[in-house]
Amino acid sequence: MSYFTVALLDGAPVATLGPASRELPIAIEGRLDETAPVRLLFRSSRARSIATTLRGVTIPSSDLDNGAPSLAYSGRSFAQTRSSGRIVRVAYIDDDDELSATGILVRLRNAVGPGGPLVQELELLFYPMSAGSALYGPAGSVVDRIPDGTSSGSGS
């Protein structure tokens, strides 16, 4: 893996990490081209700054209602957050394949105490969401909605 990117739905970049290994996840459990959640683990001296960079687009696990997005009969996902968060596009290279998916990043654990690289750790869970899926904010208003096939743009 030589890079890891996070961007908003409109393509505006949030973070481009890499090629330095201290900026890349040390563990990725799952694949973006599947529908199951993907666990991302960063453990390095850069974990603190990565957590700060992604703070505006990640959802704290305690602020995500139902613990995960709900799936409608149409195949769309709906998530409700009580604080910040956005729907993002995550991309990276895995086994020479460029993988990308759209969904939400949930902050599971952020242990970024003082010290060396083994002390600083950031654990995220990425939930892929299909076209037409939406993220609702604290007031029940739509924060982000992934475009579906009937409007311009592509959601996945």
Side-chain angles (χ1 to χ4, degrees), residues 5-6 8-9 11 21 28 32 38 61 78 96 99 104 109 125-126 136 143-144 155:
T5 62
V6 177
L8 298 177
L9 287 177
S21 62
I28 299 176
L32 289 180
V38 177
S61 58
F78 300 94
D96 295 329
L99 303 176
I104 58 173
R109 190 165 42 104
L125 196 59
F126 177 76
Y136 294 92
V143 174
D144 279 320

Side-chain angles (χ1 to χ4, degrees), residues 24-84:
L24 299 172
I26 64 160
I28 299 176
E29 294 177 8
R31 285 180 54 101
L32 289 180
D33 55 356
E34 297 175 356
T35 57
V38 177
R39 180 179 166 263
L40 305 162
L41 180 63
F42 295 86
R43 184 183 298 143
S44 74
S45 58
R46 292 268 297 134
R48 180 188 312 264
S49 63
I50 293 168
T52 301
T53 301
L54 297 178
R55 181 170 286 130
V57 298
T58 56
I59 301 170
S61 58
S62 60
D63 288 355
L64 184 64
D65 286 354
N66 300 325
S70 300
L71 189 62
Y73 289 114
S74 64
R76 296 176 177 169
S77 298
F78 300 94
Q80 174 82 41
T81 179
R82 291 185 291 260
S83 65
S84 65

Side-chain angles (χ1 to χ4, degrees), residues 9-11 89 102 131-132 145-156:
L9 287 177
D10 64 4
R89 176 171 286 281
T102 305
R145 184 178 305 274
I146 302 171
D148 57 20
T150 60
S151 61
S152 63
S154 174
S156 58

